[in-house]
Amino acid sequence: MERIEEHACHGGRQQVWKHASETLSCEMRLGVYLPPQTERAACAVLYWLSGLTCTEQNFITKAGAQRYAAEHGLILVAPDTSPRGPGVADAEGYDIGLGAGFYVDATQSPWSLQYRMHEYVTQELPALVETFFPTTQTRSISGHSMGGHGALVAALRNPGRYRSVSAFSPIVAPSQVPWGQKAFTQYLGSDTAAWKEWDTVELVRDASERLPLLIDQGEADEFLDPQLRPDLLRRACADAGHPLHLRMRAGYDHSYYFIASFIGEHIAHHAAALRG
Ligand SMILES: N[C@@H](CCC(=O)N[C@@H](CS)C(=O)NCC(=O)O)C(=O)O
């Protein structure tokens, strides 16, 4: 691990680190916010997964989350959204390849060599973070859009690993929407049976842990239909009896201005779960 940025922020430190990832076979960057409480005690960690086109920078520079993390004593960890660097597979378009890992473990060539973002985020990253930083080894997870999908799938596929999960404007039914269908065809192949284990609407049907889903969705989001489709999640959760707190927010779009407006409420939600 090598520290490449450090800035004082709300009494704590916003850092950027780089490390050689074994899972992804490349060098990865991550944002780490250490609240002031880490000078005296171990703190719980909130993982944040960003959306399409993002790096580790978008969340740490735009969401304004550090103020709330400092208030509640939470460490924030924000990884990149795909493997990066020379030789990493890519394709035309912002919604596939670099910046668009979709937090799945790809099975199809050429992606399967390095596009293993689910394993990276749920296994390698927590092990690394819990070795290098003063954590209580308790975790929660959140994210935006493609990263909201990643956070929901990470929690649903790994019962017991996260104390709470939330998302902003998540892609909840990737098997049924254009962004997901394009990415899953490339990363997982054309047999749609294999897509189900990476799809929130499918996973809630028989989740073994009924961890409540907290979701904020802007009503003026330019991707609401056809990409995000919160209506499909509402129906799936009602059918399965899965607890869902979906808040439609009038006037808000898909941007980080929306996230900045409600990130304080999400951090308070995670802090309460992590304390309990
Ligand atoms: N139409 C957009 C789609 C990408 C997009 O909206 N990305 C969202 C996540 S899905 C984002 O967070 N963008 C970066 C930012 O706003 O900082 C583009 O072509 O860049």
Side-chain angles (χ1 to χ4, degrees), residues 50-55 57-59 61-62 94 144-147 169 171 179 222-223 228 254-257 259:
S50 287
L52 290 166
T53 74
C54 292
T55 67
Q57 290 288 328
N58 299 69
F59 178 70
T61 57
K62 289 178 152 182
Y94 71 92
H144 173 228
S145 195
M146 173 184 76
S169 338
I171 302 168
W179 272 340
E222 56 277 34
F223 299 111
L228 305 177
H254 195 66
S255 70
Y256 267 87
Y257 295 104
I259 298 168

Side-chain angles (χ1 to χ4, degrees), residues 91-167:
E92 282 291 313
Y94 71 92
D95 51 3
I96 202 82
L98 298 177
F102 268 83
Y103 305 100
V104 299
D105 294 336
T107 56
Q108 306 297 300
S109 176
W111 313 105
S112 53
L113 277 177
Q114 289 180 283
Y115 281 72
R116 303 186 55 77
M117 286 300 290
H118 175 77
E119 185 184 340
Y120 176 68
V121 160
T122 61
Q123 306 293 329
E124 184 177 358
L125 194 57
L128 186 76
V129 164
E130 288 166 20
T131 303
F132 273 88
F133 301 101
T135 83
T136 53
Q137 310 207 347
T138 47
R139 311 161 205 97
S140 289
I141 192 161
S142 185
H144 173 228
S145 195
M146 173 184 76
H149 143 76
L152 294 167
V153 167
L156 287 161
R157 285 176 60 107
N158 296 276
R161 179 156 274 265
Y162 301 99
R163 291 273 181 93
S164 51
V165 61
S166 76

Side-chain angles (χ1 to χ4, degrees), residues 19 22 140:
H19 75 109
E22 269 183 41
S140 289

